[in-house]
Amino acid sequence: MIAKHDVLVVGAGCAGMRAAIEAHDAGADVAMISKLHPTRSHSGAAEGGINAALGNAAEDSPEIHAFDTVKGSDYLGDQDSIEIFCAEAPGDIIQLEHWGAVFSRRADGKLAQRPFGAAGSPRTVYAADITGHVLIQVLWEQVCKREITVYEEFFAWQLVVNDGRCQGVICWDLLRGGLKTLGGKTIVMATGGAGRQYRATTNAYACTGDGMAMALHAGLPLKDMEFMQFHPTTLYPSGVLITEGCRGEGGYLINKDGERFMKRYAPNALELASRDVVSRSEQTEIDEGRGVNGSVFLDLRHLGAERILERLPGSRELAMTFAGVDPIYDPIPVRPGAHYHMGGIATDSDGATELDGLYAAGECACVSIHGANRLGGNSLMETITFGRRAGRAAAEWALSHTTVEVPESAERDAERELRELLSREEGERPWKLREELGQSMLENFGVFRREEGMARQIEIIQGLRERYRNVYVEDKGHVFNSDLTQAIELGNMLDTALCMVTAGLARKESRGAHSRPYDYPNRDDENFLHHSITRWRDGEVELSTAPVRMTKWEPQERKY
Amino acid sequence: MQVALKIWRYDSSTGERALKEYEVDAPEEATLLDCLDLIKDRYDGTLAYRKSCRMMICGSCGMRMDGAAVLACKTRMYEIAQAGRVPVISAMGNLPVVKDLVVDMQPFWDKFRAIKPYLEPGYEQPEDGREYRISQEQMNVIHKESLCINCGCCVSECNAMESNPEFLGPQALAKGMRFVGDPRDAATVERLEAYNSEHGIWECTRCYFCNERCPKGVDPRDAIAKLGAESVRLGIDRDMGARHAKWFIRSAETTGWLRETELVPKTQGVVASIKQMRFALSLARHGKVPPPFPPHVAKDVREARNLRKLVRMQDRQGALGHVQGERALERLAHGHAGETLEEIYARPGAAPRPYLPGDETEGAA
Ligand SMILES: Cc1cc2nc3c(=O)[nH]c(=O)nc-3n(C[C@H](O)[C@H](O)[C@H](O)COP(=O)(O)OP(=O)(O)OC[C@H]3O[C@@H](n4cnc5c(N)ncnc54)[C@H](O)[C@@H]3O)c2cc1C
Ligand code: SF4
Ligand code: SF4
Ligand code: FES
């Protein structure tokens, strides 16, 4: 053990930094561990905005926000957490503003709020099209102010569970090499999403579900893992997000014949129908052969050069850089891509897991406020509100306990496992497996899911896990060995993907992001109004269920 | 397409350094980062570089291509490969190399921390417990500075840092301007005092390399200029650099041109200028500086004076005197020849014209 802290936060995106700041302010000695420098976290890529019922642009209240969220979740969200979330969000936004967040403003000087999909009121606070960047910067500034320790470019690999408590994290030091163990009275996981399991994703290379896998391997339950939200306009082929603003400005979605196909799926809302509807429509076009290279097109040509340059310069730059397409002259190739993971480490409204001393917040956690489908703008808010709550709870627990102990055997076992991986002199390099996983997840566990496809996907993942046992790391060095960490990330993606597909296969209904139009096209509250729980038992997935926490909203049909 | 790259490999644990050439078969839309990924996966797993977002926002992938800093994920390889060029890829400059294309960012972050990179609110919080009320125009002053992604490309190319590693540098100073220009920050004077001290704003050589290389349009040199203007406005002008700048203005206002002979005493003081006397005389002998007396007054001096007046009248003293955001916009406004929509739809190879199903009139979509 190289150091001990009261609270160790694993991950330094919006959720991790917010948790660390809160734990610090509660009087705890806190440190963060992150495989990337904090400002490199993928929270920084968020564009659209963050939801809080401030009521600056129109009449709004936490109750309306809560109802929108419950309905959006297709009634799978835990309503007690949703109520806390919506009530506390406005205060959290005001605090961010006081810390210096550079949000966009209204003419009266108040924070501007824009309308977002499926929201009853314009409640999305934003900073032009760089909201996430602005949040990451302001949190990092506050972390610097408090001089919170950051174990930067430390790759967290395993949790240490001792005496029925989580007491430490075993990490690989990327910059200097070597296994380093850190002790903590409490650990907060904030490692973000897992979109890299898919070949088409808006997620960064670092979004590999490490925290979910670490918790899973430590015996903790992952909740609602089958729910992966797809965003309808991700650039082909890179997967970079093209903002909804393009459709908001009047962009058309067309197939290879130029037909604005949304007319056939959502005759009134057309391109502005909700995310899941648009994603499914696009996928149907592609599946029925009216796409090109597995994508359809976002056509902005009719908006004219001036409007594109003035209103959508960021999207134009992305299209030009990553697809070589100038939207003034050519439509942008887009397809649905994995975007946001609703599922994750099961926690209560304070971020606490079932293991003493272990907390989780942000995209790696499942509180659950998103249920089967997240509303745009709710996840950034979740990182802040539940990051804060988890940080507070972790600090309070830590301050009432004294000891931290990491048994030597834990470090020895990890050391042995690492040696085994590094000493392998031949085998398959990880990239091949990674590509096969990404491709097959997109085909068999994408926008639409079929019984046979999911069954086949489980076999594919099992096959890949088998091959993973012989995976070969070419770099044997100690300094910045990303070959090693990428191999570990692959293992994490394989295990979490197995949980996802296992839970998906068992959910014989269509709910939110889990869509089975061919065999179970409807929501089935009688049999499936429950959370899916997956655990690791002897290297395999064990599936069970847990009730949804309801307070005052009875399930209704979800229509927009 | 075939893409060839030469990469400077380096291992700090052994000190070995070598230029290695690689060739990969990459898709046409590949960026430099995609090519590095292909090399790492297919040919050499030991290649080290940073990456994460692959969408120009996380700031991980700064490196040099043919000696100039770029974001690998922002650099398209198509034109380079078509031209048959084999670019040389190396780690960023002005920062110690750890391995291959990975540098130690510690010196970068030390400077970042040194400028007190957080808001010092100081003012009373709004009584209703809500947000500060600030107009968008006031916030626009720091629009460009708040785009910074801490990638280090500017620092890599900074000439002042190359000769003096202690110089705070373009990124930290741009971050400083982000707070100086923020109407919520109450520490403006303390900040400017600090940024005016040794290794602060006046050490910048104005080479503009930082503006040139910044991938996000932050224009750090402009931020430094704004800090200088704010300092002078608030009377923080002890530094030679500030006095130098002030003399430029004074000189232009009074005679409409720069009176170089007075520049030295005004900037460095009388004692220092006496020491420079011999140098000055020799310059004069070679016709490099005009004789100081009688002072020459430019014909159109009134224009220079009117310009100054205008700046005062519009209350654009200090940072407000700098036009906001023009470069960031200019950067994007290329490549449109002004065709009509019909012409665009009729271009050879254009995608079909959009139409609504069931709508008979062609082009009615
Ligand atoms: C392109 C895009 C746009 C989006 N736009 C919006 C939006 O407009 N509004 C909205 O509400 N939501 C949006 N989202 C979703 C939202 O941004 C994310 O859900 C949220 O930012 C996740 O934050 P986080 O703190 O949980 O994780 P992240 O920000 O991803 O941070 C994860 C952290 O964990 C660290 N980490 C991971 N694994 C390890 C490990 N093994 N060891 C050590 N450290 C580790 C990383 O270094 C990083 O610091 C968007 C998402 C994407 C991809
Ligand atoms: S203009 Fe100044 S800060 Fe910018 S690179 Fe040149 S010397 Fe450095
Ligand atoms: S100013 Fe520009 S080049 Fe410098 S660190 Fe910021 S984004 Fe990078
Ligand atoms: S990988 Fe994030 S900026 Fe290039």
Side-chain angles (χ1 to χ4, degrees):
Chain A
M1 190 157 48
I2 61 165
K4 279 191 239 189
H5 297 274
D6 291 337
V7 179
L8 270 182
V9 181
V10 186
C14 282
M17 288 203 274
R18 188 62 192 85
I21 290 168
E22 189 67 15
H24 173 94
D25 292 353
D29 160 36
V30 52
M32 287 191 288
I33 300 170
S34 179
K35 67 179 176 184
L36 304 169
H37 180 275
T39 64
R40 319 276 184 232
S41 305
H42 205 49
S43 292
E47 296 168 5
I50 173 165
N51 293 346
L54 297 174
N56 284 358
E59 185 68 24
D60 199 5
S61 70
E63 290 70 41
I64 308 177
H65 185 186
F67 174 69
D68 289 343
T69 304
V70 170
K71 182 176 165 200
S73 79
D74 228 348
Y75 295 89
L76 200 66
D78 285 319
Q79 298 181 2
D80 54 346
S81 301
I82 292 174
E83 286 189 65
I84 293 174
F85 169 68
C86 297
E88 297 184 358
D92 281 324
I93 289 289
I94 298 299
Q95 181 173 48
L96 287 169
E97 196 278 327
H98 287 174
W99 281 345
V102 187
F103 290 128
S104 296
R105 300 280 170 166
R106 290 159 49 83
D108 63 7
K110 292 186 189 168
L111 299 180
Q113 294 189 280
R114 61 165 56 133
F116 241 41
S121 173
R123 72 169 67 94
T124 306
V125 175
Y126 62 96
D129 57 357
I130 51 165
T131 312
H133 168 72
V134 158
L135 293 177
I136 278 282
Q137 289 290 327
V138 77
L139 290 168
W140 171 235
E141 289 159 20
Q142 294 300 312
V143 165
C144 288
K145 181 175 180 181
R146 290 165 176 78
E147 298 186 5
I148 293 170
T149 308
V150 187
Y151 295 96
E152 218 177 277
E153 304 195 303
F154 265 49
F155 184 96
W157 184 28
Q158 295 176 359
L159 292 172
V160 180
V161 181
N162 180 33
D163 210 10
R165 271 173 59 193
C166 189
Q167 308 209 37
V169 185
I170 299 178
C171 313
W172 169 261
D173 180 347
L174 254 166
L175 217 49
R176 286 151 292 248
L179 282 186
K180 309 269 165 81
T181 305
L182 290 160
K185 293 178 195 164
T186 51
I187 318 287
V188 183
M189 303 302 285
T191 52
R196 278 285 145 184
Q197 294 156 330
Y198 290 82
R199 200 190 59 173
T201 176
T202 62
N203 285 196
Y205 284 112
C207 301
T208 50
D210 299 347
M212 298 178 197
M214 285 164 71
L216 182 72
H217 296 150
L220 283 128
L222 301 184
K223 179 165 141 186
D224 294 340
M225 289 296 281
E226 64 273 39
F227 296 102
M228 172 66 85
Q229 183 175 71
F230 281 74
H231 195 288
T233 52
T234 76
L235 193 61
Y236 173 86
S238 84
V240 165
L241 182 84
I242 300 291
T243 167
E244 238 160 84
C246 290
R247 281 172 290 141
E249 289 292 331
Y252 299 150
L253 285 170
I254 58 173
N255 60 24
K256 74 173 178 2
D257 307 318
E259 182 195 22
R260 285 178 67 191
F261 55 83
M262 283 310 296
K263 175 80 179 176
R264 287 188 272 112
Y265 303 91
N268 299 318
L270 295 170
E271 281 84 0
L272 294 176
S274 77
R275 273 184 196 174
D276 46 346
V277 173
V278 180
S279 289
R280 280 177 218 145
S281 312
E282 288 178 0
Q283 196 61 47
T284 309
E285 291 297 301
I286 295 165
D287 291 350
E288 292 176 0
R290 289 187 293 277
V292 175
N293 290 331
S295 47
V296 292
F297 297 98
L298 177 62
D299 192 349
L300 306 179
R301 292 175 295 179
H302 59 287
L303 299 180
E306 231 164 89
R307 182 114 160 257
I308 294 173
L309 289 172
E310 196 183 310
R311 298 287 190 81
L312 303 163
S315 303
R316 176 173 180 245
E317 192 185 11
L318 292 174
M320 288 177 53
T321 311
F322 298 122
V325 166
D326 183 345
I328 294 174
Y329 298 114
D330 295 297
I332 309 170
V334 293
R335 62 177 167 180
H339 183 50
Y340 181 84
H341 209 154
M342 271 74 74
I345 306 166
T347 74
D348 67 12
S349 308
D350 286 319
T353 67
E354 64 172 37
L355 176 65
D356 272 348
L358 187 69
Y359 298 75
E363 193 169 335
C364 73
C366 183
V367 176
S368 137
I369 60 161
H370 310 301
N373 177 52
R374 162 194 81 119
L375 297 189
N378 264 0
S379 45
L380 278 179
M381 196 65 249
E382 176 192 20
T383 64
I384 302 295
T385 300
F386 289 101
R388 171 176 56 74
R389 292 180 65 92
R392 172 68 53 168
E396 280 168 4
W397 203 93
L399 292 172
S400 60
H401 291 73
T402 47
T403 56
V404 176
E405 214 178 321
V406 173
E408 252 174 59
S409 62
E411 293 182 75
R412 262 202 316 274
D413 290 349
E415 201 70 64
R416 179 159 13 87
E417 212 177 311
L418 180 79
R419 241 192 338 262
E420 205 181 289
L421 180 60
L422 277 177
S423 62
R424 220 170 282 146
E425 283 300 338
E426 52 176 27
E428 249 179 314
R429 297 275 312 282
W431 64 269
K432 194 92 209 311
L433 281 66
R434 200 172 58 223
E435 286 184 2
E436 286 178 35
L437 175 70
Q439 182 61 31
S440 60
M441 284 297 277
L442 201 60
E443 278 164 16
N444 299 323
F445 206 65
V447 174
F448 296 129
R449 289 142 189 206
R450 291 177 175 80
E451 186 84 14
E452 328 77 72
M454 287 189 277
R456 190 165 352 109
Q457 187 58 17
I458 289 186
E459 278 168 37
I460 291 174
I461 296 173
Q462 292 294 23
L464 290 171
R465 291 180 65 228
E466 196 53 47
R467 281 157 64 191
Y468 181 73
R469 284 178 220 277
N470 291 314
V471 101
Y472 158 61
V473 176
E474 195 170 288
D475 193 345
K476 308 291 182 198
H478 262 227
V479 183
F480 213 89
N481 189 342
S482 48
D483 203 29
L484 170 65
T485 52
Q486 285 176 11
I488 299 174
E489 287 171 346
L490 172 65
N492 290 338
M493 289 195 282
L494 287 170
D495 291 352
T496 46
L498 190 61
C499 292
M500 291 160 68
V501 187
T502 306
L505 190 58
R507 189 175 282 279
K508 297 187 189 315
E509 64 162 351
S510 289
R511 184 187 295 269
H514 183 62
S515 174
R516 305 183 60 166
Y518 308 103
D519 44 10
Y520 302 98
N522 300 315
R523 197 173 85 192
D524 176 358
D525 286 338
E526 205 160 306
N527 296 305
F528 293 101
L529 186 53
H530 56 229
H531 297 297
S532 313
I533 299 291
T534 42
R535 287 174 189 274
W536 212 236
R537 283 264 188 277
D538 309 318
E540 292 306 326
V541 177
E542 183 187 273
L543 186 67
S544 59
T545 65
V548 176
R549 300 193 296 265
M550 302 263 182
T551 56
K552 55 185 179 206
W553 293 281
E554 285 293 320
Q556 297 168 3
E557 197 190 343
R558 187 170 150 251
K559 266 204 298 225
Y560 290 107
Chain B
M1 66 182 175
Q2 289 300 114
V3 180
L5 296 174
K6 284 185 186 152
I7 303 179
W8 270 112
R9 305 291 307 267
Y10 173 73
D11 185 345
S12 60
S13 59
T14 60
E16 269 171 52
R17 202 172 132 83
L19 187 63
K20 292 215 176 125
E21 187 164 339
Y22 302 86
E23 196 170 323
V24 287
D25 185 13
E28 283 189 359
E29 64 281 345
T31 60
L32 173 55
L33 182 61
D34 295 329
C35 294
L36 293 175
D37 281 343
L38 283 169
I39 293 171
K40 185 172 177 78
D41 282 346
R42 310 288 201 269
Y43 300 106
D44 191 343
T46 66
L47 181 65
Y49 51 96
R50 288 194 177 97
K51 65 169 181 181
S52 184
C53 72
R54 57 81 175 93
M55 56 186 282
M56 322 184 274
I57 191 70
C58 76
S60 296
C61 66
M63 58 187 67
R64 272 177 164 170
M65 176 152 137
D66 288 333
V70 295
L71 287 183
C73 69
K74 196 188 172 183
T75 307
R76 270 169 67 77
M77 297 307 290
Y78 182 76
E79 285 78 16
I80 295 168
Q82 290 302 306
R85 269 176 57 204
V86 183
V88 175
I89 311 300
S90 57
M92 286 198 291
N94 283 335
L95 292 160
V97 184
V98 174
K99 183 179 172 191
D100 301 338
L101 308 174
V102 174
V103 293
D104 180 2
M105 291 292 281
Q106 197 56 48
F108 176 96
W109 291 113
D110 287 346
K111 298 211 161 106
F112 179 91
R113 285 174 187 268
I115 61 105
K116 292 223 164 119
Y118 41 83
L119 195 78
E120 302 265 27
Y123 303 117
E124 264 175 44
Q125 302 212 340
E127 264 174 33
D128 57 1
R130 296 289 301 251
E131 66 266 45
Y132 291 100
R133 313 290 199 272
I134 312 169
S135 73
Q136 186 60 46
E137 287 68 43
Q138 278 175 293
M139 293 309 285
N140 283 346
V141 174
I142 54 169
H143 169 69
K144 287 201 292 183
E145 288 75 12
S146 54
L147 295 174
C148 173
I149 57 170
N150 318 110
C151 65
C153 287
C154 54
V155 163
S156 165
E157 306 309 300
C158 176
N159 281 292
M161 289 182 111
E162 197 177 325
S163 62
N164 175 17
E166 305 266 316
F167 173 44
L168 276 172
Q171 194 285 328
L173 290 171
K175 187 77 180 178
M177 181 58 209
R178 178 248 166 280
F179 294 105
V180 166
D182 192 323
R184 294 167 294 184
D185 192 87
T188 305
V189 173
E190 293 89 316
R191 287 184 191 281
L192 289 174
E193 292 280 1
Y195 309 161
N196 265 270
S197 56
E198 209 191 348
H199 312 311
I201 52 175
W202 302 108
E203 255 175 38
C204 162
T205 65
R206 298 171 209 211
C207 68
Y208 281 84
F209 276 29
C210 52
N211 281 18
E212 197 52 51
R213 298 317 312 173
C214 173
K216 299 304 281 189
V218 173
D219 291 342
R221 169 56 225 169
D222 294 5
I224 297 172
K226 290 185 216 167
L227 287 172
E230 284 294 296
S231 305
V232 172
R233 183 173 74 84
L234 293 171
I236 302 166
D237 53 9
R238 288 178 319 281
D239 193 279
M240 255 197 307
R243 294 207 299 263
H244 189 89
K246 268 177 78 176
W247 177 248
F248 265 69
I249 298 171
R250 173 103 189 99
S251 178
E253 219 176 4
T254 48
T255 53
W257 65 288
L258 178 63
R259 302 199 293 284
E260 281 132 326
T261 29
E262 289 167 65
L263 189 61
V264 179
K266 293 290 181 200
T267 311
Q268 304 193 0
V270 179
V271 182
S273 2
I274 292 172
K275 287 190 194 147
Q276 305 257 16
M277 213 54 172
R278 265 186 57 189
F279 180 55
L281 285 175
S282 108
L283 281 178
R285 247 197 325 275
H286 291 91
K288 298 284 184 200
V289 287
F293 300 107
H296 168 72
V297 178
K299 192 155 93 312
D300 295 327
V301 62
R302 222 187 283 128
E303 274 183 42
R305 289 179 194 158
N306 282 342
L307 262 178
R308 274 293 286 169
K309 240 188 248 157
L310 199 68
V311 167
R312 283 204 194 101
M313 253 164 52
Q314 294 184 346
D315 201 21
R316 280 162 68 104
Q317 316 270 24
L320 281 174
H322 292 256
V323 186
Q324 313 293 330
E326 73 289 2
R327 259 178 71 93
L329 291 177
E330 180 196 327
R331 207 169 283 242
L332 295 162
H334 54 82
H336 181 56
E339 290 113 306
T340 63
L341 185 57
E342 285 310 315
E343 284 165 339
I344 288 175
Y345 284 155
R347 282 174 141 224
R353 162 197 302 269
Y355 70 96
L356 273 174
D359 204 333
E360 298 307 318
T361 39
E362 205 206 348

